[in-house]
Amino acid sequence: MRNELPLTVIGNLVDDPELRFTIAGVAVARFTVVSTPRVFDCDTHTWRDGEPTSVDCSAWRQLAQKLAGSVSKGARGVVVGRRRTDRWGSPEEEKRSRMVVDVDDVGASMAFATVTIARTARPVPPREIAPDDPWATARPVRPAAPADATETLAAAEAQF
């Protein structure tokens, strides 16, 4: 992470996120965010839309699945990630490249919407008990002493 360029983009999704799975079964969601700045025009003394910037994004694993199920085209969001450049060659042997943001997190922009957060529980792996673990079967509450043991203890204390 030392030489990576961190990036935060606030904008609107152009289309619904496209959820796919790699050959290894890893989820990846691809989507595009467009950010359009507001610019003050000194000649007319009014605000106008500036030149829009389009950013291709890729989210991986659990974030990809949650993103695909939560947001849709037109949603305004805050995307945080790291810039990466994809390079490839075309069939005509031309070198091509594009900038992609590897998404670390996505949040809903509350400037133009309200948000209800639904927390998801993390899956808990099943607890395996080793057969030779004496503490695995221990009771959380200490068992009560038998009635005659209490009388014997009281008699022993009375001697001192």
Side-chain angles (χ1 to χ4, degrees), residues 11-108:
N12 294 33
L13 271 71
V14 175
D15 282 316
D16 292 340
E18 179 184 357
L19 181 63
R20 291 187 178 184
F21 293 88
T22 65
I23 295 171
V26 178
V28 59
R30 294 196 173 140
F31 59 99
T32 302
V33 175
V34 173
S35 180
T36 306
R38 296 289 289 165
V39 180
F40 186 74
D41 189 347
C42 294
D43 296 334
T44 61
H45 297 291
T46 58
W47 289 93
R48 63 176 175 78
D49 286 341
E51 193 65 31
T53 301
S54 176
V55 180
D56 294 328
C57 302
S58 294
W60 294 85
R61 296 176 182 75
Q62 189 176 21
L63 176 61
Q65 293 176 332
K66 288 181 180 180
L67 184 70
S70 300
V71 297
S72 59
K73 177 182 178 178
R76 187 162 180 87
V78 180
V79 177
V80 179
R82 294 160 279 119
R83 182 185 168 270
R84 172 177 52 88
T85 303
D86 279 347
R87 292 184 174 87
W88 70 95
S90 69
E92 297 83 28
E93 297 187 17
E94 296 174 352
K95 292 183 179 180
R96 305 236 173 138
S97 66
R98 72 178 182 145
M99 184 184 86
V100 179
V101 174
D102 278 335
V103 177
D104 291 326
D105 207 352
V106 177

Side-chain angles (χ1 to χ4, degrees), residues 104-158:
D104 291 326
D105 207 352
V106 177
S109 173
M110 295 178 63
F112 300 102
T114 58
V115 177
T116 302
I117 297 173
R119 192 166 192 184
T120 56
R122 291 185 181 198
V124 178
R127 185 175 168 205
E128 295 181 22
I129 300 173
D132 60 343
D133 184 4
W135 299 103
T137 58
R139 295 184 199 141
V141 179
R142 190 172 192 167
D148 36 339
T150 307
E151 294 169 2
T152 307
L153 181 62
E157 288 177 350

